[in-house]
């Protein structure tokens, strides 16, 4: 089977298009990766032409031998479906978890996203804590979430509580809450380590003044998670533009009743009295 005919590749391209249409990927902003299933690797392996091994810049031994679809560094999300073979690639991780090599894609040269260390460290964590069910890591420059990092305290508690309050579905969609990384230089091991620590507990991590990272089982769930968080942020931004004080909102006991009815567990640390 040709790589571009595979259903999982089509899903990858559709998600990139969806993010572009939301306005989350100006220029070459954002990146997306997908941990391939064994049967997906076998289905397209005939197309592989392995290039030289390159250092990842971190260690991900739990991903040894795995294959990933990854957007390219400097590539534009708007071009993923137009020039797919130039815009993303399939990479293989070596037996030590310290090197990768491109086996398909980026036909005009280039390398995987500069955020590859963050993606792979997050994949390693989510693979472990989900018993292998999580396969997608998505980073986007979500406008309203970024705006809130200039006005809200940069704490997990503040962001989770404020965004839960803005739409009733939010505590159901992301019941574990949201983690926040203070501003750090992107693309290196330090921010990868900080984000992966948050991914032990959360599916959403916000990078202050930069954007958002989301993890999920598949493309639809991961995109839907980011979309929900960003829409909640948009509602909060609009509310704050009208007033600095909410007249009414969802109260802690109401969150507890919601959790009981929808059979989710909401950490009490987010249900503090204001």
């Amino acid at each position: 089977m040709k790589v571009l005919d595979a259903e999982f590749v089509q899903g990858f391209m559709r998600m990139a298009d969806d993010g572009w249409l939301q306005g989350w990927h100006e220029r070459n902003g954002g990146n997306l990766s997908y941990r391939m299933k064994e049967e997906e690797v076998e289905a397209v392996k005939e197309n592989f032409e392995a290039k030289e091994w390159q250092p990842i810049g971190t260690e991900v031994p739990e991903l040894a031998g795995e294959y990933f679809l990854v957007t390219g560094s400097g590539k534009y999300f708007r071009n993923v479906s137009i020039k797919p073979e130039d815009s993303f690639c399939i990479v293989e991780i070596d037996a030590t978890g310290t090197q990768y090599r491109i086996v398909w894609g980026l036909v005009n040269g280039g390398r995987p996203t500069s955020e590859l260390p963050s993606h792979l460290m997050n994949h390693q964590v989510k693979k472990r804590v989900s018993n292998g069910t999580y396969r997608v890591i998505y980073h986007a420059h979500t406008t309203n979430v970024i705006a809130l990092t200039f006005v809200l305290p940069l704490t997990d508690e503040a962001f989770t509580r404020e965004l839960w309050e803005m739409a009733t579905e939010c505590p159901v969609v992301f019941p574990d809450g949201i983690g926040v990384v203070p501003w750090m230089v992107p693309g290196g091991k330090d921010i990868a380590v900080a984000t992966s620590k948050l991914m032990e507990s959360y599916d959403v991590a916000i990078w202050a003044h930069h954007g958002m990272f989301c993890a999920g089982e598949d493309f639809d769930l991961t995109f839907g998670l980011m979309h929900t968080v960003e829409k909640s942020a948009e509602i909060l931004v609009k509310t704050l533009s009208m007033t600095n004080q909410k007249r009414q909102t969802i109260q802690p006991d109401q969150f507890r009743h919601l959790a009981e009815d929808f059979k989710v567990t909401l950490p009490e640390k987010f249900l503090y009295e204001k």
Side-chain angles (χ1 to χ4, degrees):
M1 179 188 296
K2 292 182 178 179
V3 170
L4 296 181
D5 291 337
E7 184 177 357
F8 72 96
V9 178
Q10 290 292 315
F12 184 92
M13 292 192 293
R14 178 190 172 189
M15 186 165 171
D17 269 350
D18 287 344
W20 160 251
L21 293 172
Q22 289 294 325
W24 299 342
H25 299 284
E26 76 293 335
R27 202 171 180 271
N28 62 317
N31 25 75
L32 174 63
S33 63
Y34 171 73
R35 184 169 60 86
M36 295 167 60
K37 299 175 183 177
E38 289 184 14
E39 60 268 27
E40 293 168 340
V41 175
E42 289 301 318
V44 300
K45 206 168 187 177
E46 64 191 68
N47 303 279
F48 291 176
E49 293 183 11
K51 298 183 180 178
E52 292 183 4
W53 293 106
Q54 302 290 334
I56 295 171
T58 189
E59 304 82 36
V60 285
E62 295 170 57
L63 301 180
E66 296 261 24
Y67 290 80
F68 293 84
L69 272 178
V70 189
T71 49
S73 179
K75 302 298 182 179
Y76 292 22
F77 263 56
R78 70 179 303 184
N79 292 333
V80 165
S81 62
I82 300 170
K83 298 186 290 185
E85 292 173 295
D86 175 60
S87 300
F88 61 92
C89 61
I90 296 174
V91 300
E92 177 188 4
I93 309 302
D94 78 347
T96 69
T98 62
Q99 298 184 95
Y100 75 89
R101 64 180 176 185
I102 297 171
V103 298
W104 178 91
L106 294 179
V107 293
N108 294 315
R111 56 188 177 85
T113 171
S114 61
E115 303 290 0
L116 187 64
S118 289
H119 276 259
L120 293 179
M121 290 191 74
N122 282 294
H123 273 292
Q124 179 168 258
V125 169
K126 300 313 283 190
K127 178 185 177 182
R128 172 167 39 81
V129 300
S130 74
N131 293 318
T133 61
Y134 275 47
R135 293 188 173 274
V136 181
I137 299 290
Y138 181 33
H139 169 52
H141 297 172
T142 42
T143 309
N144 292 284
V145 163
I146 295 171
L148 290 176
T149 66
F150 293 94
V151 297
L152 291 183
L154 296 177
T155 67
D156 305 356
E157 291 79 8
F159 267 83
T160 297
R161 180 61 177 276
E162 291 299 324
L163 294 177
W164 273 2
E165 287 186 7
M166 304 321 295
T168 300
E169 69 172 327
C170 287
V172 178
V173 174
F174 49 99
D176 294 330
I178 292 173
V180 180
V181 178
W183 188 87
M184 299 176 72
V185 176
K189 185 175 180 179
D190 289 346
I191 197 168
V193 170
T195 309
S196 64
K197 286 180 180 177
L198 292 177
M199 285 290 174
E200 297 277 355
S201 303
Y202 307 118
D203 289 342
V204 183
I206 290 172
W207 285 3
H209 322 319
H210 186 157
M212 184 168 23
F213 253 79
C214 285
E217 294 183 17
D218 58 33
F219 298 120
D220 286 343
L221 287 171
T222 311
F223 185 86
L225 174 60
M226 185 169 291
H227 200 186
T228 302
V229 175
E230 171 62 5
K231 186 171 184 178
S232 181
E234 181 181 2
I235 297 168
L236 181 55
V237 167
K238 289 180 176 179
T239 301
L240 292 174
S241 73
M242 294 184 286
T243 178
N244 62 1
Q245 185 173 0
K246 302 169 192 168
R247 179 169 293 183
Q248 58 271 323
T249 188
I250 306 170
Q251 299 300 319
D253 278 345
Q254 293 173 318
F255 280 122
R256 294 183 182 101
H257 293 318
L258 183 70
E260 184 178 349
D261 286 352
F262 280 85
K263 296 179 173 54
V264 296
T265 300
L266 302 182
E268 281 293 321
K269 68 177 181 177
F270 300 129
L271 301 180
Y272 52 87
E273 294 294 335
K274 291 185 174 180

